[in-house]
Amino acid sequence: MSKSKQILFLHLIGCIAFLSVPVFTSPDFGLGIDLLGIAPFEKTFINYVLLLFFFYLNYYCLIPRFYFTNKKAIYILLITVYYVFIDWFPYYIVNHQYVYQFIRSLGIIIPFEGNHCFNSHLGAIIPFLSVLTLSFLIKKNNQLSQAFNDKLKSEVSYLKEQINPHFLFNTLNSIYALTLEKSNDAPKAVLKLSGMMRYVVTESNQEYVSLEKEINYVEDYIELQKLRMDEHIKFSYTRSGAFAGKKIAPLVLIPFIENAFKYGLNPDRDSDISIAITVENNLLSLIVKNKIVINELPPNLKTETGIENTQKRLDFMYPNRYTLKIINDSAVYTVHLTIDLS
């Protein structure tokens, strides 16, 4: 059985178990099928159906669309409205006068007859809050698990990228050319490649790293890519601001820079790549522009998945504290990322 079918089966079992609660806890359970004709049971069962619907509504819609997007006032208003609906709607389906008649036939005196508001609220609020809390905790737990999985995928993706034969071949080929020329840059290039590998393996598993280390990693990557450049390439890189003492989630900048080199670096065509990183107070800004000179890449070299995973990590690590604008006009690809590091 596939994982999706297993999840569907578990949901089905859970729904049946939840809806069986009013059946097995009813004082009239011994009546069998006649239980369906008893007004108090009908009201309770409808209430449980509405609570079940609320669980999925809250889990799949209200929490992600309002609570997680910082629209908590709207979220509270919506669940309040739904609570009133759950509390009162069953009385419009089941004739509550019949409920009183049934209870009176048992010889039970009904206090506050004709005014069920107080009792109704006491009876509905506890299961409502239980369902509300359960759906919220499960959603929050799943969000944390998903974020953790995305982080692992991202780390594995970047690790694969750095040990990708294509990347190593280009870099080592450039270093080999430097050794043939007996260039003093060859040892430096080897050290940069070694440092990048070490950074990905040892630092990327941290929740936050020093911003200076992250920028050094980016600059080492750029320096290695510059080994492939010639007179056809127009390239600029600038950095400004105070980077010391600040921290950032690891490997959230490099996917956008990698993307620029993959689609914007072509020795056979005029290429134009610019990268600017600035820090003002606690606001980091990354602007990457590249002329698109490569339209298609092999599937193993494409960066769309890495960028998607990075956006998910940004959503989790910097909720409502970052902006990402990507403009692709088929000729120039522009990325503008800002992150509040405070």
Side-chain angles (χ1 to χ4, degrees):
M1 183 183 294
S2 65
K3 186 175 181 180
S4 58
K5 289 183 179 179
Q6 288 179 352
I7 293 175
L8 182 62
F9 179 75
L10 290 175
H11 276 270
L12 182 61
I13 294 299
C15 292
I16 293 174
F18 182 76
L19 294 178
S20 67
V21 172
V23 176
F24 291 107
T25 58
S26 172
D28 302 302
F29 175 69
L31 296 178
I33 194 65
D34 294 334
L35 183 66
L36 299 177
I38 298 176
F41 171 78
E42 292 177 353
K43 185 264 179 186
T44 303
F45 188 79
I46 293 172
N47 190 270
Y48 268 71
V49 171
L50 295 176
L51 285 172
L52 182 64
F53 178 78
F54 173 71
F55 174 88
Y56 287 102
L57 176 68
N58 193 44
Y59 183 88
Y60 287 108
C61 182
L62 300 184
I63 294 176
R65 293 186 63 180
F66 298 103
Y67 188 87
F68 286 163
T69 56
N70 210 28
K71 299 176 182 177
K72 295 183 175 61
I74 299 177
Y75 176 74
I76 293 173
L77 175 63
L78 290 174
I79 63 174
T80 301
V81 170
Y82 195 87
Y83 170 74
V84 174
F85 174 74
I86 287 179
D87 186 38
W88 288 94
F89 182 71
Y91 286 96
Y92 289 95
I93 295 181
V94 180
N95 186 345
H96 62 271
Q97 291 299 326
Y98 175 73
V99 175
Y100 296 140
Q101 292 172 10
F102 176 80
I103 295 176
R104 282 198 303 270
S105 69
L106 299 177
I108 300 174
I109 299 175
I110 308 174
F112 310 110
E113 182 176 346
N115 181 12
H116 62 272
C117 179
F118 180 75
N119 293 327
S120 169
H121 283 288
L122 281 181
I125 194 167
I126 294 177
F128 179 81
L129 290 177
S130 299
V131 170
L132 173 66
T133 303
L134 180 63
S135 60
F136 181 84
L137 291 177
I138 294 176
K139 187 66 176 180
K140 190 66 177 178
N141 181 68
N142 287 347
Q143 184 201 36
L144 293 174
S145 299
Q146 183 62 43
F148 180 75
N149 290 335
D150 290 340
K151 184 175 184 292
L152 290 180
K153 289 179 183 178
S154 181
E155 290 169 1
V156 172
S157 173
Y158 292 128
L159 181 58
K160 287 181 178 179
E161 174 61 25
Q162 301 314 317
I163 62 176
N164 186 293
H166 184 272
F167 173 80
L168 289 177
F169 174 79
N170 284 336
T171 304
L172 293 175
N173 194 43
S174 299
I175 294 174
Y176 176 69
L178 292 176
T179 59
L180 291 178
E181 298 171 2
K182 301 188 184 304
S183 170
N184 293 329
D185 292 331
K188 296 178 183 178
V190 173
L191 286 176
K192 290 183 185 299
L193 179 60
S194 174
M196 289 180 62
M197 301 284 288
R198 187 181 302 109
Y199 181 83
V200 172
V201 172
T202 62
E203 300 289 342
S204 63
N205 62 342
Q206 304 296 319
E207 189 173 9
Y208 292 99
V209 296
S210 163
L211 179 59
E212 290 176 301
K213 286 185 178 180
E214 181 75 4
I215 297 302
N216 288 338
Y217 172 80
V218 168
E219 291 178 345
D220 285 346
Y221 179 85
I222 291 174
E223 288 300 316
L224 290 178
Q225 292 293 346
K226 286 170 68 175
L227 296 177
R228 301 167 52 201
M229 297 182 186
D230 55 25
E231 66 275 5
H232 296 287
I233 310 300
K234 182 181 178 182
F235 175 78
S236 69
Y237 167 69
T238 59
R239 55 174 281 185
S240 61
F243 294 80
K246 296 178 174 60
K247 292 187 176 294
I248 189 172
L251 303 175
V252 295
L253 303 180
I254 196 67
F256 307 105
I257 296 172
E258 287 178 345
N259 189 74
F261 282 105
K262 284 187 176 181
Y263 289 93
L265 185 57
N266 188 343
D268 299 325
R269 296 178 60 185
D270 292 335
S271 302
D272 190 349
I273 300 174
S274 66
I275 302 169
I277 302 175
T278 60
V279 175
E280 250 186 71
N281 296 323
N282 286 313
L283 188 66
L284 179 143
S285 173
L286 169 69
I287 300 177
V288 183
K289 293 183 181 180
N290 67 275
K291 183 179 178 181
I292 300 175
V293 294
I294 298 177
N295 294 318
E296 286 296 329
L297 286 173
N300 64 312
L301 297 181
K302 292 185 176 181
T303 53
E304 286 86 349
T305 301
I307 290 177
E308 288 176 4
N309 288 339
T310 301
Q311 287 184 261
K312 291 178 181 178
R313 288 188 62 209
L314 287 168
D315 288 337
F316 177 68
M317 303 297 292
Y318 300 99
N320 302 310
R321 291 167 52 202
Y322 86 95
T323 62
L324 176 62
K325 295 180 181 179
I326 298 179
I327 303 174
N328 183 2
D329 63 4
S330 74
V332 177
Y333 193 89
T334 304
V335 174
H336 187 190
L337 171 67
T338 62
I339 304 176
D340 181 2
L341 301 177
S342 59

